[in-house]
Amino acid sequence: MKRLACGVCAGLASLSAPAHAEFDPNRLWLNAGFYSAHFDTDKGLRNANPGLGLEYPLDDRWSVTAGRFINSNNAHSNYIGAYYQPWRMGPVKLGVVGGAFNGYPQAFNGGWFPAVIPTASLENGHWGLNVAWVPPLKDRLYGALSFQLKFRFQD
Protein backbone atom coordinates (compact mmCIF):
# COMPACT_ATOMS: atom_id res chain seq x y z
CA MET A 1 0.00 0.00 0.00
CA LYS A 2 2.88 2.35 0.85
CA ARG A 3 4.47 1.79 -2.58
CA LEU A 4 1.12 2.49 -4.28
CA ALA A 5 0.74 5.77 -2.37
CA CYS A 6 4.25 6.92 -3.32
CA GLY A 7 3.71 5.98 -6.96
CA VAL A 8 0.34 7.71 -7.04
CA CYS A 9 1.87 10.83 -5.48
CA ALA A 10 4.63 10.91 -8.11
CA GLY A 11 2.09 10.35 -10.89
CA LEU A 12 -0.15 13.13 -9.65
CA ALA A 13 2.81 15.46 -9.37
CA SER A 14 3.87 14.77 -12.95
CA LEU A 15 0.32 15.25 -14.25
CA SER A 16 0.10 18.60 -12.51
CA ALA A 17 3.37 19.87 -14.01
CA PRO A 18 1.80 21.70 -17.00
CA ALA A 19 -0.69 23.53 -14.78
CA HIS A 20 1.67 24.33 -11.89
CA ALA A 21 5.41 24.85 -11.99
CA GLU A 22 5.93 23.04 -8.70
CA PHE A 23 4.11 20.33 -6.78
CA ASP A 24 2.54 21.80 -3.64
CA PRO A 25 1.86 19.12 -0.99
CA ASN A 26 -0.52 21.51 0.82
CA ARG A 27 -2.96 21.09 -2.09
CA LEU A 28 -2.99 17.27 -1.90
CA TRP A 29 -6.14 15.57 -0.59
CA LEU A 30 -5.96 12.16 1.10
CA ASN A 31 -9.03 9.92 1.31
CA ALA A 32 -9.81 6.63 2.97
CA GLY A 33 -12.02 5.10 0.28
CA PHE A 34 -15.78 5.36 -0.06
CA TYR A 35 -19.10 4.66 1.58
CA SER A 36 -21.62 3.47 -1.02
CA ALA A 37 -25.37 3.56 -0.46
CA HIS A 38 -26.45 0.94 -3.01
CA PHE A 39 -29.76 1.14 -4.83
CA ASP A 40 -30.04 -2.69 -4.80
CA THR A 41 -30.13 -3.27 -1.06
CA ASP A 42 -31.00 -6.98 -1.38
CA LYS A 43 -27.80 -8.04 -3.23
CA GLY A 44 -25.55 -8.38 -0.15
CA LEU A 45 -23.18 -5.70 -1.39
CA ARG A 46 -20.49 -4.14 0.76
CA ASN A 47 -21.35 -0.52 1.58
CA ALA A 48 -18.12 0.35 3.41
CA ASN A 49 -15.34 0.53 0.81
CA PRO A 50 -12.11 1.34 2.70
CA GLY A 51 -8.95 2.19 0.84
CA LEU A 52 -6.40 4.87 0.16
CA GLY A 53 -6.64 7.55 -2.50
CA LEU A 54 -5.17 10.89 -3.46
CA GLU A 55 -6.60 13.90 -5.26
CA TYR A 56 -4.63 16.91 -6.51
CA PRO A 57 -6.25 20.07 -7.91
CA LEU A 58 -4.70 21.46 -11.08
CA ASP A 59 -6.88 24.59 -11.05
CA ASP A 60 -10.38 25.65 -9.96
CA ARG A 61 -12.09 23.21 -12.35
CA TRP A 62 -9.70 20.26 -12.84
CA SER A 63 -8.11 17.79 -10.45
CA VAL A 64 -6.48 14.38 -10.85
CA THR A 65 -7.13 11.38 -8.65
CA ALA A 66 -5.93 7.82 -8.10
CA GLY A 67 -6.26 5.14 -5.44
CA ARG A 68 -7.17 1.66 -4.32
CA PHE A 69 -10.14 0.38 -2.29
CA ILE A 70 -12.17 -2.71 -1.43
CA ASN A 71 -15.18 -2.55 -3.74
CA SER A 72 -18.80 -3.55 -3.21
CA ASN A 73 -18.04 -7.13 -4.32
CA ASN A 74 -15.31 -7.51 -1.64
CA ALA A 75 -12.54 -7.36 -4.24
CA HIS A 76 -9.67 -4.89 -4.55
CA SER A 77 -10.15 -2.11 -7.11
CA ASN A 78 -7.82 0.57 -8.44
CA TYR A 79 -8.80 3.83 -10.09
CA ILE A 80 -7.18 6.71 -11.90
CA GLY A 81 -8.95 9.71 -13.34
CA ALA A 82 -9.66 13.40 -13.53
CA TYR A 83 -12.42 15.54 -12.08
CA TYR A 84 -13.88 18.28 -14.26
CA GLN A 85 -16.17 20.48 -12.17
CA PRO A 86 -16.90 23.75 -13.99
CA TRP A 87 -20.18 24.61 -12.24
CA ARG A 88 -20.80 26.04 -8.77
CA MET A 89 -23.86 25.99 -6.57
CA GLY A 90 -22.78 28.06 -3.58
CA PRO A 91 -19.82 26.21 -2.01
CA VAL A 92 -20.51 23.00 -3.98
CA LYS A 93 -18.59 22.18 -7.18
CA LEU A 94 -20.52 20.17 -9.80
CA GLY A 95 -19.28 18.13 -12.75
CA VAL A 96 -17.97 14.67 -13.56
CA VAL A 97 -15.05 12.40 -12.84
CA GLY A 98 -13.78 10.41 -15.78
CA GLY A 99 -11.24 7.66 -15.61
CA ALA A 100 -10.63 3.95 -15.40
CA PHE A 101 -11.39 1.31 -12.75
CA ASN A 102 -10.61 -2.37 -12.32
CA GLY A 103 -11.30 -5.21 -9.90
CA TYR A 104 -15.02 -5.80 -10.41
CA PRO A 105 -15.36 -9.56 -11.08
CA GLN A 106 -18.61 -9.24 -13.07
CA ALA A 107 -17.41 -6.26 -15.14
CA PHE A 108 -14.91 -7.01 -17.89
CA ASN A 109 -13.49 -10.04 -16.02
CA GLY A 110 -12.06 -7.76 -13.33
CA GLY A 111 -10.03 -5.81 -15.89
CA TRP A 112 -9.81 -2.09 -16.50
CA PHE A 113 -12.81 -0.22 -17.91
CA PRO A 114 -13.60 3.46 -18.53
CA ALA A 115 -16.25 5.38 -16.60
CA VAL A 116 -17.69 8.89 -16.46
CA ILE A 117 -19.55 9.58 -13.21
CA PRO A 118 -21.49 12.73 -12.17
CA THR A 119 -19.99 14.25 -9.01
CA ALA A 120 -20.41 17.04 -6.50
CA SER A 121 -17.67 18.23 -4.13
CA LEU A 122 -17.64 20.36 -1.02
CA GLU A 123 -14.28 21.52 0.35
CA ASN A 124 -13.62 23.65 3.42
CA GLY A 125 -10.20 23.99 5.02
CA HIS A 126 -8.80 20.58 5.93
CA TRP A 127 -11.97 18.62 5.10
CA GLY A 128 -13.83 17.78 1.92
CA LEU A 129 -16.52 15.46 0.60
CA ASN A 130 -16.99 14.05 -2.91
CA VAL A 131 -20.41 12.63 -3.73
CA ALA A 132 -20.81 10.52 -6.88
CA TRP A 133 -23.86 9.01 -8.53
CA VAL A 134 -22.70 5.62 -9.83
CA PRO A 135 -25.20 4.39 -12.41
CA PRO A 136 -25.93 0.65 -12.62
CA LEU A 137 -24.46 -1.29 -15.55
CA LYS A 138 -26.72 -4.28 -16.19
CA ASP A 139 -25.57 -7.17 -13.95
CA ARG A 140 -21.93 -6.01 -14.01
CA LEU A 141 -21.96 -3.04 -11.64
CA TYR A 142 -24.57 -2.08 -9.09
CA GLY A 143 -25.66 1.54 -8.81
CA ALA A 144 -24.99 3.60 -5.71
CA LEU A 145 -24.61 7.03 -4.24
CA SER A 146 -20.97 7.06 -3.11
CA PHE A 147 -19.46 9.35 -0.49
CA GLN A 148 -15.73 9.99 -0.26
CA LEU A 149 -14.48 11.91 2.78
CA LYS A 150 -11.12 13.58 2.19
CA PHE A 151 -8.53 15.35 4.31
CA ARG A 152 -5.80 17.83 3.42
CA PHE A 153 -2.74 18.72 5.49
CA GLN A 154 -2.33 22.47 5.20
CA ASP A 155 0.05 24.96 6.72
Side-chain angles (χ1 to χ4, degrees), residues 32-36 38 44-52 67-79 101-107 109-111 113 134 140-142 144 146:
F34 304 88
Y35 179 84
S36 300
H38 292 93
L45 300 169
R46 179 187 185 110
N47 289 328
N49 309 121
L52 178 63
R68 181 176 173 87
F69 64 100
I70 299 174
N71 67 34
S72 301
N73 300 112
N74 252 354
H76 288 276
S77 285
N78 300 292
Y79 64 92
F101 294 82
N102 74 356
Y104 287 87
Q106 294 173 282
N109 296 320
F113 62 93
V134 180
R140 297 179 184 176
L141 291 174
Y142 298 103
S146 282

Side-chain angles (χ1 to χ4, degrees), residues 5-16 64 80:
C6 291
V8 169
C9 232
L12 291 176
S14 69
L15 286 173
S16 69
V64 292
I80 187 163

Side-chain angles (χ1 to χ4, degrees), residues 110-126:
W112 287 92
F113 62 93
V116 177
I117 300 169
T119 60
S121 297
L122 176 63
E123 300 169 348
N124 188 6
H126 293 283

Side-chain angles (χ1 to χ4, degrees), residues 31-111:
N31 72 62
F34 304 88
Y35 179 84
S36 300
H38 292 93
F39 307 136
D40 292 318
T41 57
D42 62 342
K43 301 275 187 203
L45 300 169
R46 179 187 185 110
N47 289 328
N49 309 121
L52 178 63
L54 299 170
E55 180 182 334
Y56 189 82
L58 302 176
D59 60 28
D60 289 340
R61 297 178 298 165
W62 288 94
S63 61
V64 292
T65 187
R68 181 176 173 87
F69 64 100
I70 299 174
N71 67 34
S72 301
N73 300 112
N74 252 354
H76 288 276
S77 285
N78 300 292
Y79 64 92
I80 187 163
Y83 286 92
Y84 177 62
Q85 295 177 305
W87 301 289
R88 300 285 185 275
M89 185 179 294
V92 178
K93 299 187 302 185
L94 302 169
V96 297
V97 61
F101 294 82
N102 74 356
Y104 287 87
Q106 294 173 282
F108 310 99
N109 296 320

